[in-house]
Amino acid sequence: MRRLVQLGQGEKSAIPLLLFLLIGFAAPLLAVIWFSFMPARTFSLFAAPSLANYATIFESTSYISFLWSLGLAAVTVILLALICYPVAYGIVRVFGKWAMLLTLLFTIPLFVSENIRLYGWILFLIKNGVLLGSLKSIFGLELESILFTRTAILLGMVYVYLPFMLFPMTLGISMVPSETRDAAFDLGASRWQVFREIELPLSMPGIVIGFLLTFVLAVGAIAEAKVMGGQRIIPITHDIEIAFTYAQNWPLGAALAVLLMLVVGVLVLLALRRFDLDRFLGRR
Amino acid sequence: MAARPTILSLKSVRKIFGTLAAVDSINLDIGEGEFFTIVGPSGSGKTTLLRMLAGMEQPTSGDILLRGERINDLPANRRPTCMVFQSLALFPHRTVGENIEFSLKIRGEARDKRKARALELMDLLRLPQAYYGKNVMKCSGGERQRVALARALAYDPQILFFDEPLSAIDYKLRKTLEKELKDIHRETKKTFVYITHSLEEAMVMSDRIGVMREGKLVQVGSPHEIYSAPTTRFVSEFIGDVNVIPVDVAGDGLLKSVSLKDALKGPVPPKGFTSGHLVIRPEFLRFIGKPSEADNSVSGRLYNEYALGSRIQYQVRVGERVFIVEKLRQQMFTGKLDDEVRIGWDAKDSILVTD
């Protein structure tokens, strides 16, 4: 019998990359998924699969951590949207030659590790630190530090994920041609109507991408709660870390990770169905 | 043509960008219901001028009057004028119907009234009614032109401005749309102010044409005047090929050219005119046998010929100078390339212009 599948030159050339993706990308993910069906506190991949870990999770209080993670991520995204849209608008339309400098200022912190930047905030905000210490010695003011509160966690998250909202938004706004805005204005629309009817819908692709990007990143956040929140709140990512390290319960950690992926995946798909990027771009 | 009442009046309008006068002291009256076209090469300031008329740019000095009222500071959204943009600037996230109805929706008109008006305009512009719900980005180039025009007409402007809307369209469709636009002008009786870099396009459509150069309006006149009586070399060279001979006025009223040995007979030079150019359109040149058959003649070598559809163009070299002669296909010249030929023209067919 002849070979069933005749591979063309293109398919053959793609094999190395395909193998690389399978080993480097798909395999670890599949391993985590498979691990979540293994018996608790084991390290073997060859036991009989069961849903025991999931049952444990649903009987536990893990949902609190899930809610914290999703809630913090949602609030972060909303705060980022409110902060970034005006800034992005300014970068594209108002600041002119200063836009480049501003963009750089927002980019440079990305070159420094997230943890180092968060510890920088600690030094800045801690009691007798840069901010409160200075206020005390110069003005004699003694204020409570906001460190190790929910506000501090949000501050850290907004700070860390700001570029991921800002740059897609900047791109989205710059995609609105100025003649299109002029046309709406010329047809009698007020500045606000031009914004609502033309600029906002046409910059939607950038906004939606910014939302998705920051939400997915923020749900996976862990350092902010640990460092700036002083472990006052335990997000789901922290639970997963505990399961994999301190508790040495890999299958439970894997099950938590799979659940998180499912929740985030479903939310993202729902958002993408609601905001059809192709439609915004006028392709449909 | 009967004199029209003035609808739009420009009084020494200037626009300075930095140290550059993009628009320099323009005085112009545009009549009610007129199709007025401003022609100029890119960078001549015509777009800046149009943006000032539409309210998207403020003049540095001078006044713009609409029916006698100063509108310098009236923003675009409060002017009873509307613009069709070069890019058309259609709203890509809206349907054909929503695009056309945009200004009506802004004005707060009822949905069914809006739709009735949109369909009426679509009829006028020969857009099928089924297109009402069609995504505007799915329309062809010509259809988009019509949607943009319908959208502007729905605003019911007193003046419609056009910023080279046909420049990106292929030749054949452009020719159709030019005529269509002129028909729409006739149909709607509105004032159209159009800008383009193509004098040919302007000729087809306009009642009057203003030619711009480096921010200044160098000549205003009917298409016929611009074609047959240009006042400057710049205007004469703006459409098609022309023969331009630099000349000096001699004492006896004859014109002397440096490159041709015989004095030329041309129009009587105006008072004070000492040097300039003699312009002869290629269709006024003819092949002749003897010098006595025309007021002026030169002999040269037939260098090449080009078929231009209904006409044939000949290149005749006289010393260093190149002459362009055009004949209708039916009156094709039968000479062979490199033949010695004599070409001539009459004084009345030449125009004297300044630089």
Side-chain angles (χ1 to χ4, degrees):
Chain A
M1 209 168 125
R2 303 285 295 267
R3 291 218 309 264
L4 282 174
V5 189
Q6 196 74 42
L7 284 180
Q9 282 294 326
E11 283 89 347
K12 278 183 199 158
S13 311
I15 286 176
L17 186 70
L18 217 63
L19 282 176
F20 178 75
L21 277 177
L22 273 176
I23 295 168
F25 184 74
L29 208 61
L30 290 172
V32 168
I33 295 170
W34 182 246
F35 234 118
S36 71
F37 298 111
M38 293 294 104
R41 292 174 204 285
T42 58
F43 297 98
S44 164
L45 279 167
F46 302 106
S50 77
L51 290 170
N53 295 312
Y54 292 96
T56 314
I57 293 169
F58 282 109
E59 283 157 14
S60 75
T61 54
S62 295
Y63 70 91
I64 297 175
S65 302
F66 266 106
L67 289 179
W68 271 122
S69 277
L70 294 172
L72 283 172
V75 175
T76 303
V77 168
I78 290 165
L79 286 175
L80 279 173
L82 294 177
I83 295 166
C84 289
Y85 199 88
V87 178
Y89 195 88
I91 286 177
V92 178
R93 303 242 182 262
V94 188
F95 301 144
K97 59 179 177 181
W98 298 105
M100 192 64 208
L101 182 74
L102 205 67
T103 311
L104 258 168
L105 285 178
F106 280 109
T107 321
I108 287 167
L110 286 175
F111 296 132
V112 180
S113 136
E114 183 186 324
N115 278 327
I116 291 174
R117 280 182 287 148
L118 289 177
Y119 280 109
W121 273 109
I122 298 252
L123 291 179
F124 186 75
L125 292 174
I126 203 165
K127 200 170 163 66
N128 296 323
V130 176
L131 180 67
L132 296 179
S134 306
L135 282 178
K136 194 169 146 190
S137 64
I138 299 172
F139 301 106
L141 274 171
E142 284 212 55
L143 298 169
E144 277 299 306
S145 172
I146 63 155
L147 218 49
F148 312 131
T149 62
R150 281 167 227 169
T151 317
I153 300 177
L154 279 174
L155 175 74
M157 288 173 79
V158 165
Y159 170 71
V160 166
Y161 299 119
L162 190 122
F164 301 97
M165 181 69 96
L166 183 66
F167 294 130
M169 269 188 172
T170 311
L171 202 67
I173 293 170
S174 66
M175 272 166 43
V176 185
S178 62
E179 280 205 341
T180 311
R181 295 182 307 134
D182 284 347
F185 187 60
D186 188 44
L187 285 163
S190 63
R191 296 275 177 213
W192 166 247
Q193 283 168 322
V194 173
F195 173 76
R196 202 189 55 200
E197 301 282 337
I198 307 300
E199 297 200 88
L200 192 61
L202 286 181
S203 55
M204 225 19 158
I207 297 173
V208 170
I209 289 168
F211 268 53
L212 290 177
L213 204 59
T214 46
F215 183 76
V216 170
L217 286 170
V219 166
I222 179 164
E224 291 78 9
K226 274 166 100 176
V227 177
M228 310 255 316
Q231 307 204 9
R232 182 152 305 187
I233 281 163
I234 307 292
I236 190 64
T237 39
H238 199 176
D239 270 352
I240 296 172
E241 195 192 80
I242 290 169
F244 271 101
T245 55
Y246 180 70
Q248 288 292 303
N249 194 350
W250 289 19
L252 183 72
L256 283 170
V258 169
L259 275 178
L260 184 61
M261 280 194 286
L262 274 177
V263 170
V264 173
V266 167
L267 285 175
V268 167
L269 283 178
L270 283 178
L272 280 178
R273 269 180 69 171
R274 175 81 182 75
F275 298 101
D276 186 337
L277 289 183
D278 279 345
R279 196 169 56 82
F280 286 127
L281 296 170
R283 294 210 199 99
R284 201 178 303 172
Chain B
M1 199 178 4
R4 310 162 185 268
T6 301
I7 181 164
L8 192 66
S9 188
L10 285 74
K11 310 268 186 220
S12 337
V13 171
R14 276 165 75 88
K15 178 73 184 180
I16 316 279
F17 288 123
T19 55
L20 176 89
V23 171
D24 201 357
S25 305
I26 291 206
N27 288 293
L28 177 69
D29 283 337
I30 294 172
E32 191 100 44
E34 191 173 22
F35 197 134
F36 191 92
T37 303
I38 298 160
V39 189
S42 51
S44 59
K46 56 191 192 306
T47 300
T48 309
L49 179 63
L50 197 72
R51 287 179 67 85
M52 285 193 284
L53 298 183
M56 284 165 230
E57 209 82 70
Q58 255 87 51
T60 311
S61 64
D63 285 327
I64 302 170
L65 309 173
L66 180 70
R67 296 189 207 281
E69 253 175 80
R70 188 173 178 276
I71 55 163
N72 284 25
D73 307 316
L74 203 61
N77 60 348
R78 288 174 50 213
R79 285 193 193 189
T81 60
C82 201
M83 173 116 107
V84 176
F85 289 82
Q86 182 161 25
S87 68
L88 302 181
L90 294 170
F91 307 136
H93 56 309
R94 300 294 180 83
T95 62
V96 169
E98 287 168 338
N99 263 279
I100 298 173
E101 288 172 17
F102 185 82
S103 62
L104 305 174
K105 190 182 165 196
I106 293 292
R107 245 176 248 171
E109 279 195 33
R111 187 178 293 267
D112 49 343
K113 237 178 118 182
R114 273 171 11 208
K115 183 168 181 178
R117 180 70 183 136
L119 291 175
E120 202 179 304
L121 285 165
M122 286 169 75
D123 266 350
L124 175 71
L125 291 162
R126 282 184 274 146
L127 279 163
Q129 301 230 331
Y131 277 28
Y132 183 81
K134 186 175 175 170
N135 185 316
V136 77
M137 300 315 277
K138 290 226 163 145
C139 293
S140 71
E143 287 160 4
R144 287 185 201 188
Q145 292 284 337
R146 297 190 182 111
V147 175
L149 184 53
R151 185 179 69 178
L153 284 170
Y155 185 72
D156 196 22
Q158 295 180 22
I159 306 176
L160 261 155
F161 297 116
F162 296 85
D163 181 8
E164 302 203 46
L166 302 181
S167 59
I169 289 196
D170 64 84
Y171 183 80
K172 195 159 180 269
L173 182 59
R174 191 166 73 232
K175 290 289 144 202
T176 316
L177 290 172
E178 281 170 6
K179 289 182 189 151
E180 238 177 74
L181 196 60
K182 190 166 187 182
D183 296 346
I184 296 293
H185 174 247
R186 207 193 122 108
E187 205 73 36
T188 58
K189 299 181 181 68
K190 286 193 185 295
T191 310
F192 281 23
V193 179
Y194 193 99
I195 66 172
T196 175
H197 58 264
S198 157
L199 188 53
E200 228 179 313
E201 190 172 305
M203 293 268 173
V204 174
M205 301 183 291
S206 320
D207 295 323
R208 275 196 308 155
I209 295 171
V211 182
M212 265 185 95
R213 180 193 194 183
E214 288 162 8
K216 290 194 172 70
L217 211 47
V218 289
Q219 191 174 355
V220 178
S222 68
H224 180 71
E225 283 164 351
I226 297 286
Y227 186 80
S228 57
T231 55
T232 59
R233 178 183 177 176
F234 176 78
V235 174
S236 73
E237 284 181 331
F238 219 92
I239 185 164
D241 298 299
V242 287
N243 298 292
V244 179
I245 309 167
V247 288
D248 293 308
V249 179
D252 50 5
L254 286 174
L255 305 162
K256 290 267 191 322
S257 164
V258 191
S259 55
L260 301 172
K261 58 179 190 293
D262 296 326
L264 301 172
K265 293 192 198 82
V268 180
K271 265 207 169 67
F273 190 102
T274 53
S275 75
H277 304 273
L278 196 65
V279 171
I280 312 123
R281 297 259 173 224
E283 65 268 27
F284 289 129
L285 282 174
R286 53 183 197 270
F287 294 99
I288 54 175
K290 297 191 296 285
S292 59
E293 286 171 38
D295 292 350
N296 300 293
S297 80
V298 289
S299 77
R301 193 163 61 89
L302 181 61
Y303 181 76
N304 217 341
E305 59 176 55
Y306 317 95
L308 307 179
S310 61
R311 294 159 298 130
I312 312 280
Q313 193 180 75
Y314 303 90
Q315 195 193 112
V316 177
R317 293 203 169 165
V318 180
E320 291 291 292
R321 180 157 285 285
V322 169
F323 279 86
I324 301 288
V325 185
E326 272 178 29
K327 290 283 143 226
L328 287 174
R329 187 170 282 281
Q330 298 92 306
Q331 300 153 7
M332 222 155 105
F333 180 62
T334 48
K336 286 192 294 292
L337 295 187
D338 287 328
D339 277 359
E340 270 304 307
V341 292
R342 180 163 286 275
I343 48 176
W345 71 93
D346 292 331
K348 66 172 171 52
D349 293 330
S350 58
I351 312 151
L352 213 46
V353 298
T354 56
D355 203 14

